[in-house]
């Protein structure tokens, strides 16, 4: 399948010739640029960078950048005004990009192709300032940003990409994101580095500059649903961008939210999550029928297989957290809980474990008791792992639901992780976990209705 660059948005004009499309080429032929200034006729040549070979494919550069029967001879830069007018590179340049994350979703192939062209021919990446100094922006020849590169370790970059892959049908609006290997003089690295790359989203601010009443409940709910599935431990106002909604007649609901920065999602243990939306009134409103149907359609085991296939850097412990939280979300919604209820059941307060943690420890205790083993206490390291839930246990669950105070220190106790469970133990754990949920939801519903009897009935 041929792939054309987005010429309208980014200003790259294809050379004259028979074909106006790029072809998919093996990653054995990646993008590296040299400008030979010693000859009277400077030309652009491609060399293969020192990346490990991998059986993937990636979009090639413009057809002017590769010798082939379909693309013809690489043109002389001096004789091509479309290149000569904005090509500004030092004499010794080594610039290349190679996708290593999934490129099967809409928008990824095109974005990677545009990045490859810009990295090799276009303006240099621009380093962010202040709190964004770890980022690099890519701009087109009109000096408009179109992508963000964030160098990171392989797991952090993979988590960024995982958030996009798990945001099925663009439900929460995560911008197209993937993982690449990149080298460029601006990065001040001697070899290629791993980075996540994301489509830049034009925005007017982040959500810290506006009150929650300015945002549409539908969008807040969608971001909250994604955060629960990913067990996001860092959803704050700074990583929800604000952009204007087109064609809106309500000035109080004229702004949309875009979730970004997901490198702290999918942890390997039940760390302390932070959900900014937990404080917002719209989190108390019931889910719409559309959102309930979307949640019901989620398949955590299918998503787990997708992550293993597309992003092998994601650990099995992180994948199990996603499976657990998706099951918890689906069962919570079926029981009639709202977004705030679910978020509070996942959030510990100081040294008090969250309701979700208590459920996990008891479910694990039940599994290992069946095997006449004390491994549950060793693996989960918790002194309070009752095997059966009575009324006292339900009351204990109901206490673990208050709002968090941002900035509190990390708890001293060890946190739940599932990485040491065998596959058989893991599946048995999930069965026990689901068995324990009804009583927990009953306790949660009782507390919610007592504190806020309108939460189930009001329509805003």
């Amino acid at each position: 399948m041929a792939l054309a660059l987005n010429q309208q948005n980014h200003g790259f004009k294809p050379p004259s010739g028979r074909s106006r499309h790029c072809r998919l080429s093996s990653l054995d032929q990646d993008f590296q640029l040299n400008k030979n200034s010693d000859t009277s006729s400077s030309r652009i040549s491609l060399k293969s960078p020192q990346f490990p070979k991998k059986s993937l494919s990636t979009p090639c550069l413009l057809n002017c950048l590769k010798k082939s029967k379909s693309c013809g001879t690489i043109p002389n830069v001096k004789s091509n005004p479309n290149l000569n007018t904005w090509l500004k590179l030092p004499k010794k340049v080594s610039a290349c990009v190679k996708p290593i994350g999934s490129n099967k979703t809409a928008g990824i192939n095109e974005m990677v192709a545009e990045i490859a062209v810009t990295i090799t021919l276009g303006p240099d990446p621009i380093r962010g300032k202040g709190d964004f100094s770890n980022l690099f922006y890519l701009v087109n020849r009109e000096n408009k940003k179109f992508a963000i590169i964030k160098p990171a370790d392989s797991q952090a970059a993979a988590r960024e990409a995982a958030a996009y892959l798990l945001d099925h049908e663009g439900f929460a609006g995560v911008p197209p994101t993937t993982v690449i290997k990149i080298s460029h003089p601006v990065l001040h690295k001697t070899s290629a580095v791993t980075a996540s790359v994301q489509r830049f989203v034009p925005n007017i601010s982040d959500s810290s500059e506006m009150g929650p009443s300015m945002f549409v409940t539908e969008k807040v709910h969608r971001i909250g649903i994604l955060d629960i599935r990913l067990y996001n431990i860092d959803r704050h106002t700074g990583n929800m961008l604000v952009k204007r909604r087109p064609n809106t007649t309500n000035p109080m609901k004229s702004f949309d939210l875009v979730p970004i920065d997901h490198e702290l999602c999918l942890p390997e243990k039940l760390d302390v999550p932070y959900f900014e939306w937990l404080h917002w009134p719209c989190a108390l409103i019931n889910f719409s029928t559309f959102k309930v149907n979307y949640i019901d359609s989620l398949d955590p085991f299918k998503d787990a297989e997708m992550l293993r296939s597309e992003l092998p850097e994601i650990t099995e412990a992180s994948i199990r957290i996603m499976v657990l939280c998706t099951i918890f979300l689906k069962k919570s919604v079926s029981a009639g809980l709202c977004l705030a209820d679910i978020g509070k059941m996942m959030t510990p307060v100081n040294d008090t474990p969250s309701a979700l943690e208590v459920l996990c420890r008891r479910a694990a205790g039940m599994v290992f008791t069946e095997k006449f083993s004390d491994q549950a206490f060793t693996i989960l390291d918790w002194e309070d792992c009752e095997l059966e839930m009575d009324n006292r246990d339900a009351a204990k669950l109901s206490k673990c639901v208050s709002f968090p105070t941002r900035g509190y220190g990390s708890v001293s106790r060890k946190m739940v992780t599932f990485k040491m469970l065998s596959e058989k133990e893991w599946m048995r754990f999930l069965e026990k976990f689901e068995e324990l949920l009804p009583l927990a939801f009953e306790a949660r519903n009782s507390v919610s209705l007592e504190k806020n009897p309108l939460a189930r009935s009001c329509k805003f």
Side-chain angles (χ1 to χ4, degrees), residues 3-301:
L3 177 67
L5 299 182
N6 189 334
Q7 301 160 8
Q8 181 178 358
N9 292 336
H10 303 290
F12 297 112
K13 297 182 179 180
S16 59
R18 294 181 179 178
S19 175
R20 295 175 63 88
H21 297 282
C22 295
R23 290 195 171 197
L24 295 177
S25 63
S26 169
L27 282 182
D28 294 339
Q29 289 182 304
D30 286 293
F31 314 121
Q32 187 167 353
L33 177 67
N34 280 343
K35 183 178 178 182
N36 303 319
S37 58
D38 298 335
T39 62
S40 59
S41 177
S42 297
R43 295 177 180 272
I44 298 173
S45 61
L46 293 176
K47 294 185 177 181
S48 178
Q50 300 302 313
F51 289 125
K53 293 186 177 181
K54 204 170 183 181
S55 58
L56 298 173
S57 62
T58 184
C60 67
L61 295 177
L62 292 174
N63 39 12
C64 67
L65 300 180
K66 179 181 177 183
K67 289 183 179 180
S68 70
K69 294 181 180 179
S70 62
C71 294
T73 304
I74 298 175
N76 188 318
V77 177
K78 291 184 178 180
S79 64
N80 192 326
N82 292 330
L83 298 178
N84 193 42
T85 55
W86 57 284
L87 182 59
K88 297 179 180 179
L89 293 172
K91 291 184 178 180
K92 295 183 178 180
V93 171
S94 177
C96 54
V97 60
K98 172 182 181 178
I100 58 176
S102 173
N103 62 351
K104 296 180 180 180
T105 52
I108 293 298
N109 271 337
E110 181 184 46
M111 181 176 66
V112 171
E114 292 166 351
I115 290 169
V117 171
T118 301
I119 284 295
T120 54
L121 295 179
D124 288 342
I126 301 172
R127 181 184 288 272
K129 298 180 180 179
D131 294 339
F132 305 101
S133 59
N134 62 323
L135 305 176
F136 293 87
Y137 298 96
L138 290 180
V139 299
N140 58 23
R141 54 189 278 183
E142 283 77 33
N143 204 34
K144 293 182 179 180
K145 299 173 183 176
F146 71 91
I148 299 175
I149 295 174
K150 184 189 297 185
D153 63 71
S154 58
Q155 282 207 36
R159 286 174 180 144
E160 291 269 17
Y164 174 66
L165 290 177
L166 292 172
D167 187 25
H168 302 303
E169 302 173 5
F171 182 76
V174 179
T177 310
T178 191
V179 185
I180 61 173
K181 283 277 191 177
I182 182 171
S183 65
H184 194 283
V186 171
L187 301 179
H188 302 294
K189 301 290 184 180
T190 57
S191 59
V193 298
T194 302
S196 64
V197 59
Q198 186 172 83
R199 176 71 71 183
F200 177 77
V201 177
N203 60 89
I204 58 177
S205 69
D206 61 47
S207 62
S208 65
E209 300 185 18
M210 298 183 183
S213 62
M214 302 296 291
F215 309 128
V216 181
T217 297
E218 175 80 10
K219 191 63 176 185
V220 175
H221 281 188
R222 291 183 180 217
I223 293 176
I225 290 168
L226 178 71
D227 289 339
I228 289 170
R229 294 178 61 210
L230 302 179
Y231 199 84
N232 194 347
I233 66 175
D234 191 38
R235 173 62 72 207
H236 55 80
T237 56
N239 55 34
M240 287 184 284
L241 302 180
V242 178
K243 64 178 185 178
R244 293 191 181 277
R245 299 184 70 209
N247 304 322
T248 180
T249 58
N250 186 352
M252 293 300 294
K253 298 291 185 180
S254 58
F255 301 100
D256 208 350
L257 293 173
V258 179
I260 60 170
D261 291 346
H262 297 101
E263 61 183 20
L264 295 181
C265 293
L266 298 176
E268 295 186 333
K269 56 188 177 182
L270 293 182
D271 208 331
V272 180
Y274 182 76
F275 305 133
E276 179 65 32
W277 42 259
L278 199 59
H279 304 270
W280 296 358
C282 57
L284 292 168
I285 301 176
N286 281 340
F287 289 122
S288 66
T289 302
F290 174 79
K291 290 192 286 288
V292 171
N293 291 338
Y294 175 85
I295 293 169
D296 185 62
S297 70
L298 296 174
D299 185 340
F301 300 102

Side-chain angles (χ1 to χ4, degrees), residues 301 327 331 363 429-438 441:
F301 300 102
I327 291 174
K331 296 297 183 180
F429 162 81
L430 291 178
E431 292 177 10
K432 294 299 182 181
F433 176 75
E434 292 191 44
E435 289 178 11
L436 293 174
L437 285 175
F441 293 148

Side-chain angles (χ1 to χ4, degrees), residues 420-452:
M420 295 179 65
L421 299 181
S422 68
E423 185 63 25
K424 183 177 180 180
E425 292 165 345
W426 165 242
M427 297 307 296
R428 186 62 175 156
F429 162 81
L430 291 178
E431 292 177 10
K432 294 299 182 181
F433 176 75
E434 292 191 44
E435 289 178 11
L436 293 174
L437 285 175
L439 185 56
F441 293 148
E442 182 179 347
R444 175 63 248 176
N445 276 327
S446 298
V447 173
S448 294
L449 290 173
E450 180 180 347
K451 291 185 176 180
N452 185 10

